[in-house]
């Protein structure tokens, strides 16, 4: 497993993990809120599991579209740079990067802020 694959995995696991966590919590809180409101009215909730999975599925699909486009247009790669070239052996620093990551990172973080504020 090369470092380039690790960089790619990081860019996929963080957004999908965040999305699954937040959407599951939102779905649960939304269900509890509706149960409380319906208990005050004296009615019973008739929603199925499908209605709650719909929220999670929509979130994951939006994230997947952004990630697939990002991977196709500007894949993330591992780059290593020498800090000190004066010695025979090079002391280096490695990092993940891409040519134009800003629009994709902004879209993902903007979407995550929207999820948290909604």
């Amino acid at each position: 497993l090369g470092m380039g694959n690790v960089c790619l995995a990081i860019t996929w696991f963080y957004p999908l993990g965040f999305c699954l966590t937040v959407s599951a919590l939102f779905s649960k809180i939304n269900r509890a809120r509706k149960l409380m409101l319906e208990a005050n009215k004296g009615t019973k909730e008739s929603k199925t599991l499908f209605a709650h999975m719909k929220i999670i599925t929509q979130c994951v699909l939006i994230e997947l579209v952004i990630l697939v486009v990002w991977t196709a247009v500007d894949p993330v790669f591992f780059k290593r740079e020498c800090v000190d070239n004066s010695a025979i052996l090079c002391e280096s620093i490695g990092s993940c990067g891409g040519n134009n990551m800003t629009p994709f990172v902004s879209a993902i973080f903007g979407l995550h802020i929207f999820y948290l504020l909604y």
Side-chain angles (χ1 to χ4, degrees):
L1 186 66
M3 292 304 290
N5 291 334
V6 172
C7 291
L8 192 59
I10 291 169
T11 60
W12 277 74
F13 285 147
Y14 164 72
L16 290 176
F18 182 91
C19 179
L20 286 172
T21 303
V22 171
S23 62
L25 289 171
F26 176 76
S27 178
K28 187 76 167 179
I29 290 170
N30 193 31
R31 181 174 185 223
R33 182 182 62 84
K34 287 183 180 183
L35 283 172
M36 296 299 278
L37 291 174
E38 290 174 0
N40 287 338
K41 293 179 188 176
T43 60
K44 187 176 179 184
E45 182 186 22
S46 61
K47 285 199 166 196
T48 62
L49 179 64
F50 177 75
H52 299 288
M53 291 300 292
K54 184 178 169 184
I55 296 170
I56 297 169
T57 304
Q58 288 172 345
C59 178
V60 169
L61 285 177
I62 292 170
E63 296 277 343
L64 278 176
V65 167
I66 294 171
L67 290 170
V68 166
V69 170
W70 184 3
T71 303
V73 172
D74 183 29
V76 179
F77 54 86
F78 183 76
K79 57 183 172 184
R80 182 174 301 276
E81 298 172 355
C82 287
V83 178
D84 184 18
N85 284 336
S86 62
I88 295 173
L89 297 176
C90 171
E91 180 182 346
S92 64
I93 296 176
S95 63
C96 296
N99 296 325
N100 191 17
M101 293 174 37
T102 306
F104 301 107
V105 172
S106 299
I108 288 173
F109 282 135
L111 194 59
H112 291 180
I113 289 170
F114 172 75
Y115 291 153
L116 291 174
L117 294 177
Y118 184 73

